[in-house]
Amino acid sequence: MSGRTPLGSGRSRVHDRVLRARQDGVVPAPRRVPRPEVLLARDPAADVYVDGSALSRYLPAAPEARPWAAWVAEHEPAVVISRVSVLEARVTAGLLGTDASLVVLDALTRLPVMRLSDQALRRAVLLPPGLGPFAALHVGAALAHVDVVAIATYDAPTARAAEDAGLAVVSPGRPATWWR
């Protein structure tokens, strides 16, 4: 026999033990309720969202690597990336070899990563049709972040979509409005 016997509608041995514990005065300690602000998901503070094309500019062999390095030296504390940015940069670095991968990994240790929230996905889906999925995710993520006012990119469709959505576009080493 399994040792399980029905005790009646909605009752079990565990239920009976809990009732006895309450009757005996052995009540479990109340759970500590965290402060409401602890439960809110927050992205790292940032002014500029960096997409994969810009994150790849950390690679010394990349076009615009020097202007990017100069810009980042001043602005890196104010940037944020997403897992999509990381994916794109790691794929690019992987194609270039171990040294390039190490450069990207070094940058990733310093840069804060934001979540791709439901709000970011919602914003991405609402962008004009014809935009590639990564570009849409980048712009959606930048728009969903409460502090971000600009996107760093070297991808023309991403730059156009970001500008149309009201974001400033940062592309050190390229002329202003190069994407038009």
Side-chain angles (χ1 to χ4, degrees):
M1 188 163 215
S2 70
R4 294 182 186 173
T5 57
L7 300 174
S9 177
R11 291 185 54 196
S12 69
R13 290 177 194 261
V14 173
H15 181 263
D16 285 347
R17 276 191 237 138
V18 171
L19 286 178
R20 270 188 259 125
R22 285 185 184 156
Q23 291 167 352
D24 295 341
V26 180
V27 179
R31 289 185 175 182
R32 185 175 160 258
V33 178
R35 295 184 319 269
E37 62 270 13
V38 173
L39 300 176
L40 295 175
R42 289 204 173 98
D43 289 321
D47 297 323
V48 181
Y49 173 85
V50 176
D51 79 351
S53 68
L55 187 56
S56 296
R57 288 337 192 246
Y58 276 94
L59 299 170
E64 296 100 4
R66 283 192 178 142
W68 176 257
W71 184 85
V72 161
E74 184 179 339
H75 296 94
E76 192 174 70
V79 305
V80 67
I81 59 175
S82 72
R83 294 286 176 208
V84 177
S85 308
V86 172
L87 172 66
E88 287 183 311
R90 290 191 70 183
V91 167
T92 301
L95 296 172
L96 298 173
T98 305
D99 290 342
S101 294
L102 292 174
V103 169
V104 168
L105 288 174
D106 179 58
L108 296 179
T109 63
R110 295 187 310 274
L111 300 174
V113 180
M114 69 176 283
R115 305 168 295 116
L116 281 178
S117 64
D118 289 345
Q119 184 66 20
L121 298 175
R122 191 173 300 116
R123 298 275 182 123
V125 168
L126 294 175
L127 290 168
L131 193 60
F134 282 161
L137 285 171
H138 289 308
V139 176
L143 290 170
H145 193 293
V146 296
D147 299 323
V148 167
V149 295
I151 186 167
T153 186
Y154 290 89
D155 179 65
T158 302
R160 282 191 291 274
E163 181 184 49
D164 291 347
L167 294 167
V169 176
V170 176
S171 306
R174 294 212 177 155
T177 66
W178 60 269
W179 59 88
R180 290 185 186 163

